[in-house]
Amino acid sequence: MTATPNPQTRSASPDAAPSRAGRLAAIAVVGTALVGSGLAACSQTAVPADDEYAGRASRATASSSGDPAYWASDADESGDHSGDGISGPYANGTYSASERYGPVKEDAVHVTLTVADGVITDATVTGDALLPQSARFQSDFVAAIRGVVEGRVIDDAHIDVVAGASKTSATFNKALDAIRRQASEAATPKG
């Protein structure tokens, strides 16, 4: 007759495999040690990036349409763009500009604005994106931007972030400045 092992009996031999609880305890100890050493390494002071991809502090404000997807910086609200060398008056008309962006300028935004008496009355934006993630950001931006800028004075139409698309928003501002320059030059008498 052979003896059947009892599952309730624990072996005290040194060759026995550790219990599940023992393995979990060992994993917990090792994990705690790793996390602790990782946190110790993180105690150094972090230095924010200072390049074209670094963000800037902003606060949420609703757009003129009440859309909370628009973020304005304090500089945008001031309407002071005197440092950009562009000033009105602006000639009525429809103006277009395209700007490229990305590490190798692989993405683009095409902006067409209609201006009447210095106010944006119509806005059309399209995008060309290389990667699917960029295409999603551009698509969200295109869907939201019209409600953000239409009805605004062209000098006060700079944006910070619309629909979470920070790079697309910054590129829109470059196109807006090109359009402001076109409309200002069109209003300046030649001679």
Side-chain angles (χ1 to χ4, degrees):
M1 184 168 188
T2 42
T4 310
N6 181 350
Q8 299 292 328
T9 307
R10 298 207 186 267
S11 171
S13 84
D15 296 332
S19 68
R20 183 170 191 260
R23 287 191 309 260
L24 290 176
I27 290 171
V29 168
V30 170
T32 302
L34 290 174
V35 169
S37 65
L39 290 176
C42 290
S43 67
Q44 300 170 6
T45 303
V47 177
D50 187 21
D51 60 11
E52 67 180 299
Y53 300 107
R56 61 180 183 219
S58 299
R59 61 184 174 78
T61 60
S63 69
S64 58
S65 66
D67 183 2
Y70 169 71
W71 289 68
S73 70
D74 291 334
D76 294 334
E77 289 179 6
S78 73
D80 181 14
H81 302 286
S82 57
D84 63 13
I86 307 167
S87 62
Y90 300 103
N92 293 344
T94 299
Y95 303 93
S96 296
S98 295
E99 294 288 336
R100 301 196 73 73
Y101 66 101
V104 293
K105 306 295 184 200
E106 70 276 13
D107 296 328
V109 173
H110 312 286
V111 180
T112 301
L113 301 177
T114 300
V115 179
D117 299 321
V119 175
I120 298 170
T121 59
D122 188 37
T124 304
V125 178
T126 59
D128 290 324
L130 177 65
L131 300 174
Q133 182 175 355
S134 295
R136 283 190 301 276
F137 278 117
Q138 284 186 355
S139 176
D140 292 347
F141 179 88
V142 166
I145 191 64
R146 184 176 237 164
V148 172
V149 298
E150 282 185 4
R152 292 179 74 180
V153 175
I154 194 168
D155 279 333
D156 297 330
H158 282 89
I159 58 172
D160 196 6
V161 177
V162 171
S166 59
K167 293 176 188 172
T168 307
S169 297
T171 305
F172 171 85
N173 285 338
K174 290 178 184 176
L176 172 65
D177 286 342
I179 288 171
R180 287 176 56 226
R181 187 170 283 107
Q182 291 171 31
S184 177
E185 289 171 1
T188 304
K190 311 289 186 263

